[in-house]
Amino acid sequence: MLVFWKEKLVFLSVPKTGTTAIEAALSHRASMVISDPPELKHAPVYRYNRFFRPMFEKACNETSMETLAVMREPISWLGSWYRYRKRDFLDGTNRSTKDLSFDEFVDAYTRGDKPPFANVGSQAKFLEPRPNGTKVDHLFRYEDQPALVRFLEDRLKTQITFDRANESPAMPLTLSAKVEDKLRRKCSAEFELYDSLS
């Protein structure tokens, strides 16, 4: 999470959407950089609403903060998690996907009781508006980096270049039609939210 106090902007870090690269490029411009623990670095809207928004309002008398986030195409997002969890440092743990196909990983993700290796959260849940009106004010597609850069350069009055960071190894990902159909049916909120972004 990055807080740009003068610009009244909070960047909420959705995992696997290039947040490490964004933080590397912009942390020097931020008033607050929350990079650890992961539960705070990747604070979803509901956690921002519960802890950070009240702090800004009560301790700092600031009620006009806007939020910004990035969402990735849902299958690509799962592919990034799958590749990340194939890394050697997870070998032998219940979070490793080393011996699994992408089909097996995505099929496990669609279950109600997800095994640890497929328990990676939900972008739609992360970004879900709260009953009090707290929501993401500026939501960009990961695949449309130019729009994100234009917005940030205009808002922060600086030039921005994102370098690749924390990238998982490239590999072909094959998802069967059967599993993709199941994913689109069981996780329709992910696709509906992504498709609503222009």
Side-chain angles (χ1 to χ4, degrees):
M1 180 189 293
L2 299 175
V3 178
F4 303 97
W5 190 255
K6 290 179 185 176
E7 293 84 3
K8 307 302 177 211
L9 186 67
V10 179
F11 172 67
L12 301 177
S13 300
V14 180
K16 301 294 164 204
T17 61
T19 55
T20 302
I22 292 169
E23 287 181 3
L26 296 177
S27 60
H28 72 284
R29 282 281 284 107
S31 306
M32 291 174 63
V33 178
I34 301 166
S35 58
D36 212 29
E39 294 80 9
L40 294 182
K41 173 184 177 176
H42 297 295
V45 171
Y46 71 83
R47 196 168 289 143
Y48 169 78
N49 181 56
R50 184 171 179 190
F51 298 108
F52 293 96
R53 183 195 53 75
M55 176 181 66
F56 295 151
E57 291 182 3
K58 292 174 185 172
C60 307
N61 198 29
E62 182 52 65
T63 60
S64 61
M65 299 299 282
E66 294 180 4
T67 53
L68 161 73
V70 176
M71 182 180 189
R72 191 168 183 163
E73 191 282 322
I75 296 173
S76 173
W77 183 74
L78 287 171
S80 183
W81 273 113
Y82 171 74
R83 294 191 324 269
Y84 177 78
R85 291 193 164 184
K86 271 195 173 301
R87 290 181 173 182
D88 291 342
F89 78 94
L90 287 172
D91 279 3
T93 72
N94 61 4
R95 294 184 301 140
S96 175
T97 58
K98 187 171 187 176
D99 298 321
L100 297 169
S101 69
F102 188 45
D103 244 22
E104 290 169 321
F105 172 75
V106 173
D107 184 64
Y109 179 77
T110 63
R111 295 181 203 157
D113 187 17
K114 296 173 178 52
F117 66 80
N119 192 9
V120 296
S122 156
Q123 292 182 99
K125 192 71 177 166
F126 185 108
L127 299 164
E128 186 176 50
R130 307 313 302 150
N132 68 354
T134 300
K135 62 181 175 48
V136 175
D137 300 295
H138 307 282
L139 184 56
F140 292 88
R141 286 183 173 189
Y142 169 85
E143 293 77 11
D144 189 4
Q145 294 289 311
L148 174 64
V149 169
R150 281 192 304 272
F151 173 84
L152 287 169
E153 286 184 340
D154 181 63
R155 188 71 175 253
L156 303 179
K157 306 299 184 214
T158 188
Q159 282 196 313
I160 298 168
T161 303
F162 295 141
D163 295 322
R164 296 208 175 267
N166 196 30
E167 232 182 343
S168 298
M171 65 184 67
L173 299 177
T174 305
L175 192 60
S176 69
K178 180 181 177 183
V179 173
E180 181 174 343
D181 287 346
K182 183 180 179 186
L183 173 66
R184 288 181 179 276
R185 188 176 70 255
K186 296 257 188 174
C187 303
S188 59
E190 309 292 323
F191 293 94
E192 288 167 9
L193 179 56
Y194 183 79
D195 290 344
S196 74
L197 305 179
S198 54

